[in-house]
């Protein structure tokens, strides 16, 4: 029997704006104009700047004991901002992980909800009516299944011009839920964008120790899913990739995979110390690729950004973030029992007992146990 090749594949990488702010007109122009106007780029730059300032303040809030933990978005802002603009607010769903603050804000989530979440206040997860954003997801990869389900609902309802996008890190692609979500999305044919923020590290494990494949994006091939790798620190490449992917998903009722190659400049969370496993030289090399610096260079080369505008933005960012922090810290403390109120539509007997007694039998403390009853009454 003849031996023959039954499958071959190739994946492209897209970069439009390089580290020096140079713009590739062959890839980034349409109808004689850049795919993003100067006004749009300035808007995105401002969102990235405000998002980074919020990062800095959130870090200080955690260090001063006013927040449990916090995962900084620093270095990955272009992925969230570019994709956030490409998705349609009020029509598409944003299904985040925990480094997409900017995209969530652009689609209507008040920023102080993010702070409330990391402060341990459940009200940070009560998304306002009409905001098509799911709560921040800390478990690795579980939310991708939700995105596939949302996209499936679009198909079942015949809502053809809607799409969902879900974000996750490179480490999540080693999880079973990732493959379950990809397989269902592919076989069901639903409009969902899988956006991997490959920031090179799954907490302290480098990508090359997580997987044997040279890229993350090639995993999409197994699911016959179109895919593209982009420079995740390039606001133009990210925007174009997601915009085109959304068009493909809605026109073909099919999923799309994007790998945004970026870098986490901060620690994994405030409970981490990346200096213990990353070299200073590696961090220095990625600092030179900072999406904020690169975008500002582009705007300066276009002649639309000055030192005065930068100073004005910094002042405005401090004011905005100050108001966000005040809103989060100024909210009245919730009743302890509220923790249970939004978990299920109806509580079962065990949870109702936990709510009423503030004791749990799952940890060996049975509220009916002699000795604990008196403690409960005195609590």
């Amino acid at each position: 029997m003849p031996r023959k090749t039954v499958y071959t594949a190739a994946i492209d990488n897209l970069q439009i704006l390089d580290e020096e702010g140079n713009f590739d007109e062959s890839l980034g122009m349409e109808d004689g104009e850049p795919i993003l106007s100067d006004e749009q780029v300035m808007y995105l730059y401002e969102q990235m700047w405000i998002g980074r300032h919020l990062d800095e303040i959130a870090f200080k809030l955690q260090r001063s004991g006013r927040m449990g933990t916090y995962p900084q978005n620093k270095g990955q802002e272009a992925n969230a901002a570019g994709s956030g603009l490409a998705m349609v607010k009020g029509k598409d769903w944003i299904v985040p992980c925990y480094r997409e603050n900017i995209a969530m804000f652009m689609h209507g989530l008040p920023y102080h909800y993010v702070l409330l979440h990391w402060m341990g206040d459940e009200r940070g997860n009560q998304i306002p009516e009409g905001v098509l954003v799911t709560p921040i997801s800390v478990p690795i990869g579980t939310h991708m299944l939700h995105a596939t389900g949302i996209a499936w609902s679009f198909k079942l309802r015949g809502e053809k011009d809607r799409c969902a996008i879900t974000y996750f890190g490179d480490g999540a692609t080693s999880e079973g839920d990732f493959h379950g979500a990809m397989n269902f999305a592919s076989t069901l044919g639903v409009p969902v964008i899988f956006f991997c923020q490959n920031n090179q590290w799954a907490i302290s494990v480098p990508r090359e120790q997580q997987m044997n494949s040279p890229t993350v994006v090639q995993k999409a091939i197994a699911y016959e899913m179109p895919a593209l790798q982009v420079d995740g620190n390039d606001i133009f490449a990210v925007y174009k990739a997601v915009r085109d992917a959304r068009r493909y998903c809605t026109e073909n009722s099919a999923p799309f995979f994007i790998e945004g190659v970026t870098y986490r400049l901060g620690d994994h969370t405030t409970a981490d110390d990346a200096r213990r496993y990353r070299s200073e030289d590696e961090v220095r090399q990625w600092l030179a690729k900072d999406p904020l610096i690169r975008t500002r260079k582009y705007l300066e080369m276009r002649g639309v950004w000055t030192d005065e505008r930068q100073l004005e933005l910094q002042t405005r960012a401090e004011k905005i973030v100050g108001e966000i922090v005040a809103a989060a810290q100024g909210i009245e403390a919730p009743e302890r029992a509220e923790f249970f109120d939004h978990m299920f539509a109806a509580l079962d007997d065990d949870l109702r007992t936990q709510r009423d007694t503030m004791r749990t039998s799952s940890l060996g403390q049975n509220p009916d146990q002699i000795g604990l009853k008196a403690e409960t009454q005195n609590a």
Side-chain angles (χ1 to χ4, degrees):
M1 299 295 287
R3 176 171 175 163
K4 59 184 179 182
T5 301
V6 295
Y7 197 89
T8 58
I11 294 176
D12 292 338
N13 173 282
L14 177 65
Q15 182 191 61
I16 298 174
L17 192 68
D18 71 11
E19 297 170 28
E20 299 305 319
N22 297 307
F23 183 77
D24 188 330
E25 295 188 352
S26 67
L27 297 172
M29 300 286 282
E30 290 178 351
D31 301 325
E33 298 291 337
I35 55 174
L36 288 171
S37 68
D38 290 343
E39 289 72 23
Q40 287 176 311
V41 179
M42 284 191 285
Y43 168 72
L44 293 173
Y45 176 66
E46 291 176 0
Q47 296 309 310
M48 291 193 290
W49 186 272
I50 293 168
R52 183 165 295 188
H53 186 56
L54 179 67
D55 250 19
E56 295 168 351
I57 299 302
F59 183 85
K60 293 177 180 177
L61 289 174
Q62 195 279 331
R63 285 294 187 261
S64 60
R66 288 175 284 177
M67 184 178 290
T69 187
Y70 181 78
Q72 290 187 293
N73 295 211
K74 185 178 182 181
Q76 303 183 202
E77 292 91 344
N79 277 334
S83 61
L85 184 66
M87 301 301 286
V88 180
K89 182 180 178 181
K91 180 175 288 187
D92 298 333
W93 272 89
I94 305 294
V95 184
C97 180
Y98 47 74
R99 297 191 205 278
E100 292 83 31
N101 292 350
I102 297 171
M104 293 189 292
F105 177 71
M106 291 170 69
H107 281 253
L109 185 72
Y111 252 143
H112 72 279
Y113 278 51
V114 175
L115 299 185
L116 287 174
H117 171 90
W118 295 111
M119 288 175 173
D121 192 323
E122 292 294 325
R123 290 171 293 185
N125 298 321
Q126 296 172 23
I127 308 300
E129 191 71 27
V131 175
L132 304 186
V133 177
T134 58
I136 291 171
S137 177
V138 176
I140 302 301
T142 56
H143 58 292
M144 292 181 281
L145 291 162
H146 301 161
T148 295
I150 291 170
W152 192 15
S153 76
F154 294 155
K155 183 174 183 178
L156 293 173
R157 295 173 179 174
E159 299 171 345
K160 297 183 178 179
D161 191 28
R162 302 187 72 183
C163 185
I165 184 170
T166 183
Y167 303 85
F168 48 91
D170 42 292
T173 67
S174 300
E175 296 282 349
D177 284 343
F178 163 78
H179 294 282
M182 294 276 284
N183 193 50
F184 272 111
S186 177
T187 54
L188 293 171
V190 300
V192 56
I193 299 171
F194 292 94
F195 194 113
C196 175
Q197 292 209 64
N198 175 9
N199 66 16
Q200 314 302 319
W201 291 87
I203 307 183
S204 58
V205 181
R207 189 196 58 78
E208 56 270 22
Q209 289 183 19
Q210 304 168 45
M211 61 193 77
N212 194 38
S213 56
T215 71
V216 177
V217 68
Q218 68 193 79
K219 297 184 180 185
I221 295 172
Y223 300 98
E224 196 65 12
M225 195 181 297
L228 178 67
Q229 184 188 71
V230 302
D231 181 338
N233 288 1
D234 172 358
I235 195 73
F236 282 92
V238 173
Y239 169 76
K240 179 178 174 59
V242 176
R243 184 202 62 178
D244 293 350
R246 184 190 183 279
R247 183 180 301 152
Y248 172 86
C249 290
T250 55
E251 290 181 353
N252 298 280
S253 188
F256 199 101
F257 191 101
I258 296 172
E259 176 189 0
V261 180
T262 184
Y263 193 76
R264 161 170 57 83
L265 290 174
D267 297 327
H268 174 67
T269 68
T270 46
D272 177 41
D273 182 0
R275 294 172 299 179
R276 300 179 65 180
Y277 54 84
R278 296 195 308 202
S279 70
E280 292 183 7
D281 183 57
E282 177 183 299
V283 177
R284 193 178 306 111
Q285 290 181 34
W286 279 96
L287 278 170
K289 302 176 183 178
D290 189 316
L292 274 70
I293 296 174
R294 164 183 329 195
T295 306
R296 179 176 174 177
K297 286 180 178 177
Y298 170 82
L299 291 172
E300 290 174 340
M301 292 169 71
R302 296 280 296 179
V304 296
W305 199 259
T306 62
D307 290 341
E308 289 73 22
R309 291 202 70 156
Q310 182 66 32
L311 183 60
E312 177 187 336
L313 172 59
Q314 291 174 202
T315 303
R316 192 154 54 87
E318 291 173 3
K319 184 174 184 295
I320 291 172
V321 173
E323 292 175 352
I324 293 167
V325 173
Q329 292 189 313
I331 191 169
E332 186 177 350
E335 297 292 332
R336 287 195 297 173
E338 288 184 19
F339 173 81
F340 293 89
D341 291 344
H342 307 287
M343 187 177 297
F344 297 106
L347 296 179
D348 59 25
D349 290 341
D350 186 53
L351 288 173
R352 193 176 298 110
T353 300
Q354 289 185 36
R355 181 195 63 190
D356 295 342
T357 64
M358 287 296 158
R359 294 288 186 276
T360 172
S361 58
S362 64
L363 299 178
Q365 289 187 308
N366 186 340
D368 295 328
Q369 185 177 342
I370 299 299
L372 290 179
K373 277 187 175 180
E375 183 182 344
T376 303
Q377 292 168 355
N378 296 330

